[in-house]
Amino acid sequence: MSTTFDIVQKLWNLCNILRDDGVQYSDYVTELTYLLFLKMSEETKTEAVIPKNYRWKSITSLEGVELLQHYREMLVKLGEAKNPSVQAIFANAQTSLRQPRHLHTLVTNINALDWYSARHEGLGDLYEGLLQKNAEESKSGAGQYFTPRPLIDSMVAVMKPQAGEHVNDPAAGTIGFIVAADRYIKAQTDDLFNLSTDLQEFQKNQAFTAMELVPGTHRLALMNALLHDIHSPIVLGDTLSGDGKLLKDADLVLTNPPFGTKKGGGGSTRDDFTFSTSNKQLAFLQHIYRSLRKPTKTKPGGRAAVVLPDNVLFEGGVGKDIRRDLMDKCNLHTILRLPTGIFYAQGVKTNVLFFTRGAQDKGNTKEVWVYDMRSNMPNFGKRTPFTREHFTDFEKAFGKDPLGEPAALKKRKETGETGRFRKFTREWIAQRDDSLDISWLKDDNAESSADLPEPAVLAASAMEEMEAIMEDLRGILAELGEDVEEVVG
């Protein structure tokens, strides 16, 4: 019997056919998604939502030019389907395939897969595996939309999403966080069967909200949601525009905002932000802590776990203002310094910030615990896989309280200057100009040039930093009413 891994590998091997037809790496999974949706609908007996003339059988019985013409027509018709999910997945869909024989080979090979095993192990897991395979292929550029699953699972484990909570991801990518949170809740509730009918309905249709900016990635997210029986809103939109105002009053935010600057000259177009910045991560961070629900007499404040690069921890100017505002409005109780090299398409150093919204807007952070999972860690990659086991010590040190309440923080144990877990007071942080870039361990790996990232990664990282600086300077000139082209010219 084939395993999900085997089927994923066979699907990925089909990308060789796509490449031979001139399809770009970035379009591989999108092309396969169209075909997989049709085949999986047949396998799960949910074809009733698809117009009868445009189901999987309609392309298995054709060959040659007739097949390609029908397939192109099919994509257009499915984009106009009455069913909202089908219409959204096939919105503006078109194929890059040019050779009928290549399409016929894809259809034949997909038809021949062990779909019995795929159904048994979960079609959602199969699709997740395909997304991960795509992210691991650096040429695809998909790594920026795919957070490593061991990291996601650890964040979900310590944040403990609960049935009845509103969970949000404002930078959804392919909704890895939403899928993991849904899986966690289902595991705690016997696949929702332990819940009341009303609560089951809420979990399936309202518990999650997510927003994704890129249409192609949004398409993959919709497919992922459908295969995991998640029917909550997965919205195509820009969180840093007025769209983001819809994402509010969250009980839990789990997210990995995109790296870089907001393109288009200037910062967020949100009119409800206190601090204006073109830095995407700082803008997202501001959105996230403002979107958390304030505590009530019966419910604690909303909580968040957010992946952010190092520059957010030390950047001056508006960066310092946003960090200070975060520590005022929320209890920023934990920072996890992540190992380098765990993101497939990024050479940046990252962290996870854990915080909970306070009742007041001032003075909620009393102390910040920092767990250094970066210093003296292996160089992760294909030779040294990054696994969930690497988070065991962190999760134990973090404790069982997802809110970081004072009573729970008192139970934590510092490991001293030679250990990985230490506590720093809010006053001490203020004396450091509110910088949260805190490290104390000597990293023996950092001294070896052999452990440095590849030159191309270093160059790309340097270019990204330069672009961020230039974008900020352009924003300053624009605010001063200066013509950027005239000044530069």
Side-chain angles (χ1 to χ4, degrees):
M1 180 181 290
S2 297
T3 63
T4 296
F5 177 84
D6 294 330
I7 298 174
V8 167
Q9 187 60 52
K10 289 177 180 178
L11 281 172
W12 187 248
N13 288 340
L14 295 181
C15 292
N16 292 325
I17 301 169
L18 296 170
R19 182 185 61 198
D20 291 342
D21 207 345
V23 179
Q24 298 180 357
Y25 274 98
S26 57
D27 296 328
Y28 279 7
V29 174
T30 299
E31 287 281 357
L32 288 178
T33 291
Y34 300 147
L35 295 169
L36 288 174
F37 176 85
L38 296 169
K39 179 58 178 173
M40 289 175 172
S41 295
E42 180 188 66
E43 291 296 324
T44 55
K45 303 187 186 309
T46 56
E47 286 186 299
V49 300
I50 302 174
K52 193 169 184 179
N53 294 334
Y54 301 107
R55 297 174 184 175
W56 178 252
K57 288 286 191 226
S58 71
I59 55 174
T60 59
S61 59
L62 299 175
E63 292 186 42
V65 175
E66 187 180 4
L67 168 62
L68 187 56
Q69 288 177 341
H70 177 74
Y71 183 58
R72 287 172 174 166
E73 177 186 328
M74 170 187 284
L75 295 181
V76 174
K77 294 297 184 181
L78 293 178
E80 300 169 351
K82 293 181 180 180
N83 181 273
S85 296
V86 176
Q87 186 183 96
I89 288 174
F90 287 90
N92 302 311
Q94 55 184 340
T95 181
S96 299
L97 289 165
R98 296 170 293 181
Q99 299 292 332
R101 60 188 175 86
H102 289 148
L103 176 57
H104 185 262
T105 302
L106 287 171
V107 171
T108 302
N109 278 273
I110 289 174
N111 221 18
L113 292 174
D114 184 356
W115 288 101
Y116 175 83
S117 297
R119 290 196 308 272
H120 179 74
E121 297 192 17
L123 296 181
D125 289 344
L126 188 156
Y127 194 68
E128 277 272 295
L130 183 62
L131 294 175
Q132 179 169 349
K133 194 73 175 176
N134 189 42
E136 290 172 350
E137 174 52 70
S138 60
K139 293 179 183 178
S140 76
Q144 61 182 309
Y145 306 119
F146 192 93
T147 306
R149 291 314 185 236
L151 171 58
I152 288 179
D153 289 341
S154 181
M155 291 168 63
V156 168
V158 297
M159 285 289 98
K160 294 180 170 56
Q162 301 296 309
E165 289 189 321
H166 175 205
V167 182
N168 174 252
D169 184 348
T174 54
I175 66 163
F177 282 105
I178 299 297
V179 168
D182 178 67
R183 183 183 294 121
Y184 181 93
I185 293 171
K186 286 176 177 174
Q188 305 297 317
T189 59
D190 189 22
D191 204 25
L192 306 184
F193 285 113
N194 291 342
L195 305 178
S196 66
T197 302
D198 289 345
L199 202 48
Q200 287 184 29
E201 183 74 14
F202 173 82
Q203 284 304 129
K204 288 183 177 180
N205 301 306
Q206 302 174 52
F208 307 104
T209 53
M211 187 168 285
E212 171 53 38
L213 174 64
V214 181
T217 307
H218 179 247
R219 192 191 313 278
L220 304 182
L222 291 172
M223 179 73 164
N224 210 11
L226 193 65
L227 292 173
H228 286 91
D229 198 25
I230 297 172
H231 305 281
S232 293
I234 312 295
V235 181
L236 178 64
D238 182 0
T239 299
L240 301 185
S241 74
D243 299 340
K245 293 182 182 180
L246 301 173
L247 307 177
K248 60 182 181 179
D249 297 328
D251 293 297
L252 173 59
V253 173
L254 296 161
T255 191
N256 175 16
F259 306 136
T261 57
K262 184 167 173 60
K263 305 300 182 183
S268 165
T269 57
R270 291 277 290 270
D271 59 10
D272 60 334
F273 279 2
T274 304
F275 307 102
S276 177
T277 175
S278 61
N279 182 300
K280 280 184 182 179
Q281 304 90 45
L282 288 170
F284 266 103
L285 178 57
Q286 189 173 190
H287 160 79
I288 291 161
Y289 67 74
R290 293 170 65 95
S291 73
L292 295 175
R293 184 184 43 73
K294 283 190 174 184
T296 64
K297 290 182 179 180
T298 57
K299 295 186 73 174
R303 60 198 186 282
V306 187
V307 180
L308 293 165
D310 275 14
N311 70 283
V312 170
L313 303 186
F314 61 76
E315 190 167 303
V318 69
K320 181 172 68 173
D321 293 335
I322 291 175
R323 287 194 302 275
R324 185 182 295 129
D325 195 40
L326 164 66
M327 288 185 282
D328 272 339
K329 289 184 170 62
C330 299
N331 172 21
L332 173 63
H333 52 84
T334 310
I335 297 175
L336 170 62
R337 289 167 55 85
L338 291 170
T340 55
I342 64 172
F343 285 92
Y344 300 115
Q346 300 289 344
V348 297
K349 296 179 179 178
T350 53
N351 314 268
V352 184
L353 272 60
F354 300 87
F355 49 89
T356 302
R357 187 66 163 89
Q360 308 301 321
D361 286 345
K362 292 288 184 181
N364 281 289
T365 298
K366 307 298 183 183
E367 61 191 42
V368 178
W369 288 75
V370 181
Y371 191 97
D372 187 347
M373 195 176 161
R374 181 183 305 169
S375 300
N376 302 311
M377 291 292 284
N379 293 315
F380 293 105
K382 291 185 178 180
R383 293 184 178 180
T384 308
F386 184 56
T387 67
R388 178 67 190 284
E389 284 67 34
H390 288 102
F391 289 97
T392 300
D393 290 340
F394 163 70
E395 292 176 21
K396 183 177 180 181
F398 185 97
K400 297 181 180 180
D401 178 19
L403 300 170
E405 296 280 11
L409 296 184
K410 284 184 179 180
K411 295 180 181 179
R412 290 182 172 181
K413 296 180 180 180
E414 286 195 90
T415 54
E417 294 184 5
T418 59
R420 294 192 180 275
F421 203 32
R422 293 187 65 187
K423 175 179 67 176
F424 302 90
T425 66
R426 179 68 184 90
E427 291 75 19
W428 184 86
I429 293 170
Q431 292 172 7
R432 302 177 75 250
D433 209 23
D434 288 316
S435 171
L436 294 169
D437 186 28
I438 302 169
S439 61
W440 61 93
L441 291 176
K442 180 183 178 183
D443 192 350
D444 296 330
N445 291 336
E447 296 180 1
S448 172
S449 60
D451 292 333
L452 291 174
E454 293 293 325
V457 174
L458 289 171
S461 179
M463 287 180 65
E464 184 172 299
E465 290 184 18
M466 292 174 65
E467 288 176 0
I469 294 171
M470 290 298 294
E471 195 71 27
D472 285 338
L473 290 174
R474 289 190 184 95
I476 292 172
L477 288 172
E479 290 177 5
L480 294 173
E482 299 287 345
D483 187 303
V484 176
E485 297 301 326
E486 287 186 7
V487 173
V488 175

